[in-house]
Amino acid sequence: MKWIAIAALSSVAGMASAEAVAPADVQFDDYGAVEVSLSGTPGDAANGAAIVGDKKQGNCVACHQVGALADIPFQGEIGPALNGAGDRWTEAELRGIVSNSKKTFEGSMMPSYYKTTGYIRPGDAFTGKAASEPLPPLMDAQMIEDVVAFLATLKE
């Protein structure tokens, strides 16, 4: 019994010390899915829901309707409703879409939340004030995992 407790503790310690995958090192498959956790730590669905609905963080509700977050006003209609997202896509596909939706949906207006380089900067030609790359990602690795965990709970 003692060895089980030790193994469990070392497993938890290993998860806590897992290093995040850097945005430039994310491995997308041919369809844009990302199989490997970006943070090495399981996502927290409750925190993911907060990020999806927070106007200062993910702000996903600016473009998507999310029935599970019906108390958040002014949900958008630009993107597809996220109800049933957990049935439509695997966690790997959701991770890829949130990280960089353009890998799955070419021409998508959705921001690439885990990207630091390769932006088109048309405003720079007009103002010369666009920030230089690399830029910080819009969400860190754990935030991505939390959002994926929440989206995976959205079943029909």
Side-chain angles (χ1 to χ4, degrees), residues 59-73:
N59 196 22
C60 305
V61 295
C63 295
H64 300 278
Q65 290 185 5
V66 184
L69 302 176
D71 59 323
I72 298 174

Side-chain angles (χ1 to χ4, degrees), residues 110-126:
M110 184 171 160
S112 298
Y113 285 100
Y114 202 61
K115 179 178 172 178
T116 59
T117 61
Y119 293 101
I120 298 170
R121 308 303 297 252
D124 201 32
F126 298 102

Side-chain angles (χ1 to χ4, degrees), residues 38-103:
L38 299 178
S39 68
T41 303
D44 177 332
N47 192 49
I51 293 166
V52 166
D54 188 329
K55 307 266 190 243
K56 293 181 181 177
Q57 290 185 21
N59 196 22
C60 305
V61 295
C63 295
H64 300 278
Q65 290 185 5
V66 184
L69 302 176
D71 59 323
I72 298 174
F74 310 114
Q75 294 192 22
E77 297 178 356
I78 295 170
L82 296 180
N83 303 328
D87 287 328
R88 289 194 302 270
W89 296 294
T90 66
E91 284 190 27
E93 291 166 332
L94 289 168
R95 186 177 295 110
I97 292 166
V98 176
S99 299
N100 187 348
S101 63
K102 288 143 185 74
K103 300 280 188 178

